[in-house]
Amino acid sequence: MAETPLADAIVLFGATGDLSRRMLLPSLYFLDADGLLPLDFKILATARAQLSREEFVEQARQILQARPEAVDDKVWERFSGRLDYVACDATTAQGVGLLKPHVDRFSRPIFFLAISPSLYSRVAAALAGADLAGEQSRIVLEKPIGRDLATSREVNEAVGAVFNEDRIFRIDHYLGKETVQNLIALRFANTLFEPLWNNLTIDHVQITVAETEGVGDRWPYYDEYGALRDMLQNHMLQLLCFVAMEPPADMDPRSVRNEKVKVLRSLRRLTRADAQNASVRGQYAKGVAGGKEVAGYETERGQPTGTETFAALRVDIDNWRWAGVPFFLRTGKRLPERRTQIVIQFKPVPHSIFGNAASDDLVANRLVIDLQPDEDIELLLMNKAPGISRGGMRLQPLPLSLSLLRAYEGPGARRRIAYERLLLDVIHGNSTLFVRRDEVEEAWRWVDGVAAAWAEAGMAPKPYAAGSWGPSGAFALIERSERAWLD
């Protein structure tokens, strides 16, 4: 396969928005600081805000100075020289006409749409109308792509009419995290783990994405999507795919993404009959979070609503590797702590040789993969407890950190922003960590089935106090199988 030429510019739509300010501009700066941006790479920022180039550059400087990392004067001088700004409405022919003389200077631009997904189709059409979507240009789409399978197809078809699939990069920033990539290395670079990665030795898998903040003034968006469509459809199913997929032939994007699609097609569909036992919907009410009293979602919304802010599901994968191994997924707002975590719970030893006293200490091996707030991989092993006792050998759990991130980093070293890895991959044209169209649509097909099962079963969200771990049904969901959430 011929090597993909490096991109020579990024056109950043929505450049004054929250995503650009928090993630994209800092990520580009740090890539420049590490010498990873091509020499003549340019950053063309655009938004509706009426700013001059000088005003935007000053805003970018303030954004970087507000971060804990010090801004290097030499790097800033080089980085600021890459920046340009054009104020326009990129959904219109007139607006894109203002961009055209700037973009025409580039041969292989990246169009990064850090804007509302409802505008993707219009921006793509405007770029095509201005003849800016050249054969070597690339486009990056942020989630969510659609609200269901039908609307996802509409967006994909509109963008696909302008850009070939191999030039469309659907981004999920979770896949840029070091620990997610370490999961791939852990599974497929070690004979220690891969032979055990199946239903013979794994009891169950837990995936938790917990957030402490509420919805707040984001409710116009959130009320349309809810926890199921906002978080589970993309982030959580992507993590599930990396845990459950078969070994790909190689790290070619097609090989990796083919295996992820197979997992999504193997997900057992949720029906009305098992919706009550295999899923939970919740919505936070008033409670205490962060040491202070907070309002419930309906108070923030201003009126009653049936949108869930919490979802928990038992997911089964109907294939040979995972038959009989339940995957328990939960996500929600206003939970007690911020946590993104994958737990691989192994089965207990079939027989204990250590007597009653030691058997009471014996716990099954567990692999815990933390993505937020700190990234780490920890393996829980059993070890002899130090000392002697009349009761014979005593055991104790011994957690071992398998993440070498801390060993590689010196004191105070900066943790990379996930977008740095993904932006670098787009520049190089590597789509391995991005989501292909059929992945998106298979995920939506399964999620639409969950939403339909909820509707057919008449499942309204159950209230839970802000600052708790969701409705009581979330505990019953996993306890029915004599298991428990790792808290």
Side-chain angles (χ1 to χ4, degrees):
M1 182 184 300
E3 185 174 348
T4 303
L6 298 182
D8 58 0
I10 184 168
V11 184
L12 187 54
F13 296 84
T16 58
D18 182 64
L19 177 63
S20 294
R21 297 171 67 88
R22 290 188 303 109
M23 298 292 180
L24 303 181
L25 287 170
S27 293
L28 289 165
Y29 169 82
F30 291 128
L31 287 175
D32 199 2
D34 290 340
L36 295 174
L37 290 184
L39 183 62
D40 297 322
F41 190 82
K42 300 297 183 184
I43 302 167
L44 175 59
T46 181
R48 294 181 182 181
Q50 294 298 316
L51 300 173
S52 66
R53 177 191 179 276
E54 291 72 22
E55 289 171 327
F56 178 79
V57 171
E58 176 59 22
Q59 283 192 8
R61 185 181 66 83
Q62 293 175 6
I63 290 167
L64 294 171
Q65 288 181 335
R67 295 183 60 85
E69 304 90 354
V71 176
D72 183 277
D73 290 339
K74 290 184 178 179
V75 176
W76 168 250
E77 182 178 359
R78 181 173 67 242
F79 182 73
S80 61
R82 301 180 187 271
L83 295 173
D84 198 0
Y85 182 83
V86 176
C88 74
D89 179 356
T91 64
T92 67
Q94 180 182 7
V96 173
L98 297 174
L99 280 178
K100 185 173 175 57
H102 298 266
V103 179
D104 277 341
R105 294 181 288 135
F106 311 136
S107 301
R108 299 173 299 280
I110 299 166
F111 299 110
F112 196 117
L113 274 55
I115 55 178
S116 169
S118 63
L119 303 177
Y120 290 170
S121 301
R122 293 165 61 185
V123 171
L127 291 172
D131 198 28
L132 292 178
E135 291 185 0
Q136 297 194 69
S137 61
R138 300 157 199 173
I139 189 167
V140 182
L141 308 179
E142 275 281 347
K143 68 96 178 175
I145 299 173
R147 185 186 179 274
D148 51 26
L149 179 58
T151 54
S152 174
R153 281 176 169 166
E154 289 175 5
V155 175
N156 280 322
E157 286 171 4
V159 176
V162 179
F163 295 87
N164 292 334
E165 177 63 29
D166 61 357
R167 295 190 288 121
I168 301 174
F169 292 75
R170 299 173 187 86
I171 201 166
D172 185 333
H173 72 271
Y174 273 39
L175 304 189
K177 292 182 176 293
E178 286 284 349
T179 312
V180 173
Q181 296 164 60
N182 265 338
L183 173 59
I184 300 173
L186 190 75
R187 283 196 60 188
F188 303 127
N190 296 283
T191 57
L192 176 66
F193 286 105
E194 184 54 26
L196 305 178
W197 212 265
N198 54 52
N199 56 6
L200 299 178
T201 54
I202 292 178
D203 178 78
H204 73 280
V205 177
Q206 300 177 23
I207 301 178
T208 295
V209 179
E211 300 176 282
T212 56
E213 71 272 14
V215 176
D217 58 8
R218 290 182 64 242
W219 69 260
Y221 158 79
Y222 197 87
D223 207 57
E224 182 181 359
Y225 286 82
L228 178 69
R229 293 180 173 91
D230 178 58
M231 190 64 70
L232 196 140
Q233 184 273 335
N234 44 77
H235 296 328
M236 299 189 77
L237 287 186
Q238 284 294 312
L239 296 179
L240 182 148
C241 285
F242 276 108
V243 171
M245 71 181 187
E246 294 297 316
D250 48 39
M251 282 299 290
D252 181 87
R254 290 170 298 182
S255 300
V256 173
R257 298 194 290 185
N258 285 346
E259 298 305 331
K260 290 162 65 183
V261 170
K262 290 178 185 177
V263 174
L264 294 171
R265 289 176 177 166
S266 300
L267 298 181
R268 186 181 302 171
R269 305 307 184 208
L270 195 70
T271 65
R272 173 185 176 179
D274 52 28
Q276 296 281 0
N277 291 328
S279 66
V280 176
R281 298 181 77 199
Q283 184 185 102
Y284 65 83
K286 68 178 181 179
V288 177
K292 62 181 181 180
E293 189 170 324
V294 295
Y297 177 60
E298 289 190 343
T299 301
E300 295 173 339
R301 171 73 171 82
Q303 65 185 68
T305 176
T307 299
E308 78 281 349
T309 62
F310 177 95
L313 295 98
R314 170 179 169 147
V315 179
D316 288 275
I317 302 174
D318 290 331
N319 62 24
W320 279 26
R321 181 182 290 266
W322 297 111
V325 178
F327 284 64
F328 295 98
L329 279 55
R330 63 174 173 172
T331 182
K333 301 280 190 183
R334 286 288 188 219
L335 299 183
E337 62 183 71
R338 178 172 174 254
R339 182 200 305 177
T340 299
Q341 184 181 72
I342 302 169
V343 178
I344 312 295
Q345 181 63 62
F346 291 92
K347 293 180 179 179
V349 294
H351 171 70
S352 173
I353 66 172
F354 299 103
N356 292 333
S359 294
D360 293 339
D361 302 326
L362 190 61
V363 296
N365 300 135
R366 184 170 61 232
L367 183 67
V368 180
I369 302 159
D370 287 311
L371 282 78
Q372 288 183 153
D374 297 314
E375 296 189 51
D376 194 17
I377 300 177
E378 182 180 275
L379 178 64
L380 183 71
L381 300 174
M382 292 307 299
N383 183 50
K384 177 189 175 297
I388 58 176
S389 67
R390 291 183 178 179
M393 184 184 296
R394 297 300 299 266
L395 302 175
Q396 67 178 9
L398 177 67
L400 299 177
S401 175
L402 302 182
S403 174
L404 295 180
L405 288 174
R406 294 172 186 169
Y408 293 150
E409 298 169 349
R414 179 183 68 85
R415 288 292 179 95
R416 286 196 178 277
I417 305 170
Y419 278 93
E420 294 178 51
R421 169 78 267 166
L422 299 174
L423 284 167
L424 186 62
D425 281 353
V426 180
I427 291 170
H428 285 263
N430 181 359
S431 57
T432 303
L433 296 176
F434 294 83
V435 185
R436 202 167 60 191
R437 174 175 176 171
D438 54 347
E439 282 185 71
V440 174
E441 295 183 356
E442 286 296 336
W444 272 124
R445 183 176 286 108
W446 186 79
V447 164
D448 283 356
V450 175
W454 285 351
E456 292 171 9
M459 283 182 58
K462 301 291 186 182
Y464 63 94
S468 72
W469 277 108
S472 58
F475 296 94
L477 172 72
I478 194 169
E479 289 168 357
R480 288 189 194 99
S481 61
E482 298 184 352
R483 300 173 173 97
W485 296 109
L486 179 64
D487 289 329

